[in-house]
Amino acid sequence: MVKNNPLRFDVEDIPDEDEVFRNVHVNLLRNWAFPDKIPPNVFMSDEDGMSCDWAKYSTPQMTQERARCPEKNGVIQMNVGATRSIKFGESALDVKHDPIEHPQPNRAHSLVIGIHPPNKAKIRSKLQEIAQWILSPLI
Amino acid sequence: MVETGVFPNGNIKINLLPAINNLSVTLSKYKEGILTLGENWDDDGGKPYQITTWDRAESFVGELLIRLWLDNISVPIPSILPGPGGSIDVDWETDAFKLLVNVPEDPTELVNLFGEGVKRQEIEITIEYDELIAVLLPWLKTIH
């Protein structure tokens, strides 16, 4: 840690055997008929990557509480190694630790890299296969 | 699922009129589910979906299914979901195959899709919207 900034977290390597969590807003589940399965539209990414929380520094409940409206979110879990095994062309997805300080400090924050552009149907379809519900939406 | 019956010679027929009625009712329900998503629908700045995006998704789903059913290929109605960045996801998950088609909000953008049959027949392609039926119809026929 940087001594003169107690909130600056070190970036660490995430081992393959670990898990990451991601919030899923209930409105993404509209028109989805398979409550035990994960729909493909939960895997949305911006230019930096798809946000998630590393299980080393978060629990599913803590991830849910970080949502703007926790009561409207469920939480999915993905194994990091399984995520990294998803290949496209010569590349593969990666999971990188990305601790942040804003809008609130989150040491667990991480990114799944490689989904961008967000319409990569194969990647999202493969992510569906490895993801699982860990907390159902409260409503 | 699509209603089927069996002819005396063993051929399976699809009872088309109830299937089309069911398709119409289901698509109406899906349409409402997506187009009633307002500003900030995801509590993270999500924007409403354009009716033109919905129309393109609905049009290709309707044409594809009816053409398959007319050929006695029983393919269920897919899920139609709010997708990333104003796009719409059309998703089939069946015992025979899975298929994800992403219809972009911008009608000039290409459509990205991925499908996989139970025997690992795979399709991954980015094409013009107008090519969807010509590409998916033969692939779905080979799956069945």
Side-chain angles (χ1 to χ4, degrees), chain B residues 76-94:
Chain B
I77 301 168
S79 299
I80 303 181
L81 308 163
S87 68
I88 287 180
D89 279 341
V90 179
D91 187 73
W92 280 270
E93 311 261 340
T94 79

Side-chain angles (χ1 to χ4, degrees), chain B:
Chain B
M1 286 297 293
V2 179
E3 269 191 45
T4 59
V6 181
F7 281 117
N9 62 3
N11 288 339
I12 294 177
K13 74 174 172 78
I14 292 171
N15 204 339
L16 206 52
L17 284 179
I20 292 175
N21 284 340
N22 184 45
L23 174 62
S24 176
V25 168
T26 304
L27 289 176
S28 290
K29 186 180 73 170
Y30 284 172
K31 179 179 182 178
E32 184 183 355
I34 289 180
L35 295 185
T36 53
L37 291 171
E39 286 289 342
N40 199 33
W41 59 267
D42 58 354
D43 298 311
D44 195 24
K47 299 290 184 190
Y49 287 79
Q50 301 295 316
I51 191 167
T52 48
T53 316
W54 167 262
D55 286 344
R56 291 201 311 284
E58 179 187 51
S59 178
F60 112 77
V61 168
E63 182 180 350
L64 182 66
L65 287 178
I66 291 172
R67 290 179 67 167
L68 287 166
W69 295 345
L70 283 171
D71 280 347
N72 278 324
I73 296 171
S74 179
V75 170
I77 301 168
S79 299
I80 303 181
L81 308 163
S87 68
I88 287 180
D89 279 341
V90 179
D91 187 73
W92 280 270
E93 311 261 340
T94 79
D95 292 338
F97 72 99
K98 59 184 300 186
L99 174 63
L100 172 61
V101 180
N102 179 263
V103 180
E105 181 181 61
D106 184 347
T108 65
E109 278 187 23
L110 299 175
V111 176
N112 180 237
L113 65 93
F114 171 75
E116 194 169 36
V118 67
K119 295 178 184 175
R120 297 289 176 193
Q121 313 98 310
E122 197 174 286
I123 182 168
E124 182 189 6
I125 195 168
T126 301
I127 54 175
E128 301 277 352
Y129 171 81
D130 291 340
E131 298 176 279
L132 270 173
I133 301 296
V135 167
L136 289 178
L137 210 51
W139 186 77
L140 286 166
K141 286 181 179 180
T142 63
I143 297 295
H144 292 81

Side-chain angles (χ1 to χ4, degrees), chain A residues 23-106:
Chain A
N23 278 313
V24 175
H25 197 281
V26 290
N27 280 341
L28 288 168
L29 305 176
R30 286 206 180 181
N31 303 340
W32 182 245
F34 308 100
D36 296 331
K37 293 186 182 182
I38 313 296
N41 57 341
V42 312
F43 305 107
M44 300 207 191
S45 173
D46 59 23
E47 289 178 354
D48 295 330
M50 182 178 79
S51 286
C52 55
D53 285 344
W54 185 8
K56 181 177 180 180
Y57 296 114
S58 187
T59 65
Q61 290 78 10
M62 290 165 68
T63 292
Q64 189 180 54
E65 284 299 316
R66 289 193 186 95
R68 285 189 173 82
C69 295
E71 70 280 7
K72 294 185 192 173
N73 281 266
V75 180
I76 60 173
Q77 169 180 292
M78 296 178 294
N79 173 262
V80 171
T83 304
R84 289 173 174 152
S85 72
I86 295 174
K87 297 185 181 359
F88 48 102
E90 298 293 312
S91 305
L93 294 182
D94 198 5
V95 185
K96 299 275 196 196
H97 186 215
D98 180 54
I100 58 175
E101 298 170 34
H102 305 286
Q104 55 183 306
N106 183 3

Side-chain angles (χ1 to χ4, degrees), chain A residues 98-131:
Chain A
D98 180 54
I100 58 175
E101 298 170 34
H102 305 286
Q104 55 183 306
N106 183 3
R107 190 174 189 179
H109 185 260
S110 303
L111 292 168
V112 177
I113 311 289
I115 300 175
H116 183 77
N119 301 336
K120 282 291 186 183
K122 179 173 184 176
I123 296 172
R124 296 195 289 126
S125 190
K126 293 298 182 183
L127 283 168
Q128 276 184 280
E129 294 174 6
I130 66 159

